[in-house]
Amino acid sequence: MTMSYMSEDVAFVKPVPRKHVNRLSIQHWQLRDLVSCPNTRKEFYFVNQNNVHGYNTDTQTTTTVLKDLTYSPTSMTTGEGYIAAGGQRSQLTVRQLATNWFAQATVGGSINNAMTISAYHNQARLLICNNDETIKVYSLPSLQRITSISLPTAVNYCSVSPDGRKLCAVGDSNQVFLYDVGPGGSYQRVQSLTAVSDACFSCAWNQSSDKFAVATQDGFACVWDIRSTEKVAKLPTKQNPQVKGAARSIKFSPSGSIDLLLFSEHVSYVNLVDARTFNECQSIRVAPPHCDQHISGVSYSPDSKSIFVGLETTVLEYDVDTMSRRSFPEGSII
């Protein structure tokens, strides 16, 4: 297992980000996945108070896509042409981005900690992680409940593998739950793994669906290969073991040959790790030198060429050095 000693003499992104001035808000101190870039690097979505906005990086204009909600979202996600927001009292709002269709509901239980939208065959599915120890699965756009997955802990996050065959879920324990997605669309738990010592707050799959990663409250990103129960890597945050070094949002680069793992900390830092070897890390201070700032979320653009980091008054956009990521020691470019 790769442990905590990594080279930091790397630069996976270019040093000076573009700044997109917007106000962003966080409703729960541990739930930090409130920035998303689903379609093009020219547009991202974010939460501010009881609204969800889209921002065009070319025109530098903001459009409200979910306006004057009766709650301030604790969770937000995009996928399959939809955007969804969830609230403290199990509120749910879903909109189809290309049309005016939207729906609102209360799904029951407690706080909607996180949501994810995935494709199953030709159907879009919305998975809602709730504090009542369930993942509620709905079809879109019908909002019919397909099933409810019961776990032994409050569920903080889940992620479906890009090939649609696996589901990873984490919650208020140090356990990581792995499911097979069956031919009929059912979810069968096949493994329970141990992260570190504390709760976990997000998880993600790489684009080839053979590795998944988990962000932990005690300041680590843990990585597994689906062929083994042993961790491939256990990567500390920059500010570990301080509380402000808790790992919050975690993402693999979604496309191309970029092969990076991104994870944010509670405040001020994000980390980029070489997802081929897990032995090189670039820690980026996204806050000013002498002032911590909260991070509301992180997202790659779909082409993996940009990384967006949400702060309290701005979204930073970093350019990934794609040429260096496509080059290998022998000099070949893929």
Side-chain angles (χ1 to χ4, degrees), residues 252-281:
F252 280 97
S253 51
S255 59
S257 53
I258 304 302
D259 299 324
L260 290 174
L261 176 65
L262 167 69
F263 54 100
S264 63
E265 304 190 18
H266 189 69
V267 295
S268 301
Y269 280 91
V270 299
N271 302 278
L272 278 164
V273 175
D274 187 328
R276 299 169 192 152
T277 63
F278 300 101
N279 62 10
E280 291 185 311
C281 175

Side-chain angles (χ1 to χ4, degrees), residues 267-330:
V267 295
S268 301
Y269 280 91
V270 299
N271 302 278
L272 278 164
V273 175
D274 187 328
R276 299 169 192 152
T277 63
F278 300 101
N279 62 10
E280 291 185 311
C281 175
Q282 180 183 8
S283 294
I284 305 166
R285 185 172 178 91
V286 294
H290 305 294
C291 175
D292 282 332
Q293 287 195 9
H294 290 276
I295 299 170
S296 65
V298 294
S299 180
Y300 288 93
S301 60
D303 60 8
S304 300
K305 293 180 179 180
S306 292
I307 289 171
F308 296 94
V309 181
L311 302 176
E312 295 164 70
T313 58
T314 191
V315 175
L316 304 179
E317 181 184 0
Y318 289 90
D319 288 332
V320 177
D321 188 350
T322 55
M323 184 60 72
S324 69
R325 293 306 296 156
R326 293 174 60 228
S327 301
F328 284 80
E330 292 80 9

Side-chain angles (χ1 to χ4, degrees), residues 110-126:
S110 180
I111 180 173
N112 288 331
N113 290 321
M115 298 181 291
T116 188
I117 299 171
S118 66
Y120 181 76
H121 295 309
N122 294 320
Q123 178 192 66
R125 288 188 172 186
L126 171 65

Side-chain angles (χ1 to χ4, degrees), residues 10 12 45 48 69 90 107 118 120 139 145 180 198 214 227 238 240 250 260 287 294 303 310:
V10 290
F12 298 128
Y45 297 90
N48 182 30
L69 300 172
S90 76
V107 300
S118 66
Y120 181 76
S139 63
R145 187 180 292 190
D180 279 340
D198 211 335
V214 168
R227 295 164 291 190
K238 179 73 172 179
N240 179 299
I250 194 163
L260 290 174
H294 290 276
D303 60 8

Side-chain angles (χ1 to χ4, degrees), residues 92-246:
L92 171 67
T93 308
V94 187
R95 177 181 168 181
Q96 196 166 35
L97 287 168
T99 70
N100 290 323
W101 178 89
F102 78 99
Q104 299 183 82
T106 301
V107 300
S110 180
I111 180 173
N112 288 331
N113 290 321
M115 298 181 291
T116 188
I117 299 171
S118 66
Y120 181 76
H121 295 309
N122 294 320
Q123 178 192 66
R125 288 188 172 186
L126 171 65
L127 289 80
I128 304 172
C129 302
N130 195 277
N131 236 38
D132 69 355
E133 303 187 351
T134 68
I135 302 171
K136 300 171 175 70
V137 184
Y138 290 84
S139 63
L140 291 175
S142 69
L143 271 189
Q144 290 184 334
R145 187 180 292 190
I146 297 169
T147 189
S148 182
I149 307 168
S150 295
L151 286 88
T153 187
V155 188
N156 292 329
Y157 208 93
C158 74
S159 179
V160 178
S161 60
D163 64 9
R165 296 178 180 179
K166 300 280 187 183
L167 169 72
C168 178
V170 296
D172 279 351
S173 75
N174 64 348
Q175 297 300 107
V176 181
F177 305 97
L178 199 62
Y179 292 79
D180 279 340
V181 183
S186 61
Y187 300 86
Q188 180 70 39
R189 193 191 304 176
V190 292
Q191 272 185 335
S192 294
L193 305 166
T194 301
V196 190
S197 300
D198 211 335
C200 307
F201 281 92
S202 62
C203 53
W205 291 87
N206 67 347
Q207 61 177 305
S208 56
S209 302
D210 61 358
K211 292 183 179 68
F212 58 96
V214 168
T216 76
Q217 174 66 31
D218 38 7
F220 291 94
C222 299
V223 186
W224 287 265
D225 188 299
I226 60 170
R227 295 164 291 190
S228 173
T229 59
E230 295 294 319
K231 295 181 185 74
V232 173
K234 179 184 171 186
L235 312 166
T237 59
K238 179 73 172 179
Q239 300 170 105
N240 179 299
Q242 302 174 75
V243 173
K244 63 183 182 179

